[in-house]
Amino acid sequence: LLDPSSASTRLTMPGFFADVPASPPDPLLSIDGRFRSDTRTSKLNLGIGVLRKVDASPHEFATVLKAAKGVPVSTFYPSPAGDQTFLKLSSELVLGEVNPRVMAVQTVGGSGALRVCAELLVSQGITSMMLPNPSWANHKPLLSGGGCTISEYKYLNDDTHTVDIEGMLSALQSAPSKTAIMLQVAAHNPTGVDLTEAQWERVLEVFKKREGEIFPVFDSAYQGLAKGLDEDVAIVRRFLKEGMEFIVCNSHSKNFGLYGERVGSCFVACESAEVAANVSSRCQLRIRWNYSVPPLFGARIVAAILGDPALRKEWEAELAGAREQLNKAHGALAGAIKGAGLPDRLSSPKLGLFSQLFLTDAQVLALEKDHGIYV
């Protein structure tokens, strides 16, 4: 028989998770919830960085839908490194070649690449990471969760809303030894403000002078959505040509519209092919310990498109159309800002999916409440 006293004790004892506090709402994701509950038909959700058509419906790549029909469901575990055909084609897309001194692993989106990158760097004693200020909101938790201590360098000139190249270079020149530097290659999130080719050359010169002291990490999440497929990764290829060591955290979420399939890759340029093989083994081990293996379906869709000349040509045309629409939208917004007599800095040139207007909390709330515009 059940002892009444023990039953009473069990009922009064708190559960193991009784004192777990609720997490604060994610500022970005909470926008989507409020937007969905808004009954106005003229509402606009500008908070989450995804490609949309002019009518605000999701931008679906016809080539992706076409290729997906021919991709079979995988019924067996892949290698922790992922699909090798995808990695070859992704490498050619980003780096312009398959280089024996560059190791490649498939990751769970660009976020997975960032985490693999952080854990690899920390294992080699590179425990500090400098991020541009401002940067993607999820950079800090992803990288610090991988063991990196985060600091920032000035990226944006407050007066002109252009790249503060002098402030950035000063930070790179004075960064402590064994510091990793995060560099967004194109369509900077959240400002939409990118470095010019001449500015990138100055950044490269600093890294060359401080080779062995500071380490470049490229975040490539929007290739093809700023200036073009080759133009947007030109600086990565310059570093490769110069024989530099670096990491690229790459995502195909935006340029293929595969947000939910989590298609990413991590490239590590090493001093030699032998070193690259060792780094690959360490990255695969960390993937195995973390999420075991990457998903295949989205990666094989990307591979099917990049590996078929006709499909690739169609996809490149679709991507160019999306890029042109984004740039038209930036131009229209800049024109409206100038027409309203607002400060010139608010209409500085922007590229890609993002534009930062530095609105006050009151202005953000007014846009949402009075106009149904969620930012």
Side-chain angles (χ1 to χ4, degrees):
L1 293 176
L2 180 66
D3 183 349
S5 62
S6 64
S8 175
T9 302
R10 182 184 176 197
L11 290 173
T12 57
M13 288 179 64
F16 286 105
F17 307 109
D19 60 348
V20 174
S23 296
D26 184 290
L28 189 60
L29 298 181
S30 63
I31 291 174
D32 194 52
R34 298 198 305 275
F35 176 79
R36 290 176 184 275
S37 63
D38 191 331
T39 58
R40 287 174 285 188
T41 57
S42 59
K43 62 185 179 179
L44 284 174
N45 185 353
L46 304 179
I48 297 177
V50 297
L51 279 175
R52 294 186 184 276
K53 298 178 183 176
V54 176
D55 63 2
S57 62
H59 182 104
E60 295 180 327
F61 287 85
T63 44
V64 168
L65 299 178
K66 188 185 300 184
K69 294 177 181 177
V71 175
V73 174
S74 175
T75 58
F76 200 74
Y77 286 118
S79 158
D83 185 274
Q84 293 302 307
T85 301
F86 162 76
L87 288 172
K88 174 184 179 295
L89 293 166
S90 183
S91 178
E92 291 172 348
L93 186 70
V94 176
L95 303 174
E97 62 181 273
V98 175
N99 191 303
R101 75 176 185 90
V102 181
M103 86 93 218
V105 290
Q106 184 188 333
T107 57
V108 181
S111 298
L114 287 164
R115 184 57 176 257
V116 170
C117 164
E119 293 187 5
L120 174 65
L121 291 174
V122 170
S123 74
Q124 293 305 111
I126 305 174
T127 58
S128 298
M129 172 86 74
M130 291 186 74
L131 304 178
N133 180 18
S135 194
W136 180 44
N138 221 24
H139 270 146
K140 286 183 181 180
L142 268 174
L143 295 164
S144 61
C148 290
T149 300
I150 304 299
S151 60
E152 297 178 327
Y153 62 86
K154 190 167 176 58
Y155 183 80
L156 202 67
N157 183 302
D158 297 328
D159 296 325
T160 63
H161 286 194
T162 56
V163 174
D164 185 350
I165 188 61
E166 301 304 332
M168 179 179 178
L169 292 175
S170 176
L172 300 188
Q173 289 160 351
S174 61
S177 184
K178 286 213 166 185
T179 296
I181 311 293
M182 173 63 68
L183 304 163
Q184 292 193 41
V185 297
H188 182 269
N189 181 351
T191 67
V193 176
D194 288 349
L195 278 77
T196 64
E197 184 177 347
Q199 289 172 334
W200 273 124
E201 286 298 321
R202 295 180 67 187
V203 169
L204 172 59
E205 286 306 310
V206 173
F207 276 99
K208 287 168 67 175
K209 289 177 181 177
R210 298 204 62 194
E211 190 172 7
E213 296 179 355
I214 58 175
F215 186 88
V217 175
F218 295 104
D219 187 358
S220 179
Y222 313 104
Q223 184 184 357
L225 290 169
K227 293 181 178 179
L229 278 170
D230 294 326
E231 295 91 333
D232 291 352
V233 289
I235 188 57
V236 176
R237 297 175 184 181
R238 284 283 289 117
F239 270 68
L240 183 63
K241 184 179 179 180
E242 291 292 330
M244 304 288 288
E245 291 184 300
F246 58 83
I247 292 177
V248 182
C249 300
N250 175 58
S251 169
H252 291 303
S253 292
K254 305 297 191 299
N255 55 14
F256 283 86
L258 288 167
Y259 308 98
E261 298 300 333
R262 314 310 299 137
V263 187
S265 46
C266 182
F267 303 105
V268 184
C270 307
E271 60 183 313
S272 68
E274 292 75 20
V275 173
N278 291 339
V279 171
S280 177
S281 71
R282 300 308 298 180
C283 287
Q284 290 184 62
L285 188 61
R286 294 191 175 279
I287 288 170
R288 177 66 175 148
W289 290 345
N290 191 343
Y291 50 84
S292 187
V293 295
L296 289 179
F297 188 67
R300 287 180 172 171
I301 291 174
V302 172
I305 293 170
L306 295 180
D308 183 303
L311 272 179
R312 174 160 180 159
K313 185 177 180 180
E314 288 181 43
W315 168 72
E316 289 185 3
E318 286 188 279
L319 188 65
R323 178 174 65 250
E324 290 166 9
Q325 187 59 48
L326 286 171
N327 290 336
K328 284 181 183 178
H330 280 302
L333 179 60
I337 288 172
K338 287 181 180 179
L342 295 170
D344 288 342
R345 67 179 184 275
L346 297 178
S347 58
S348 64
K350 308 290 195 307
L351 293 167
L353 279 79
F354 306 98
S355 181
Q356 191 163 15
L357 299 177
F358 298 92
L359 301 173
T360 65
D361 290 345
Q363 289 170 327
V364 170
L365 290 173
L367 282 173
E368 186 174 313
K369 179 181 177 183
D370 301 334
H371 303 284
I373 299 174
Y374 291 77
V375 298

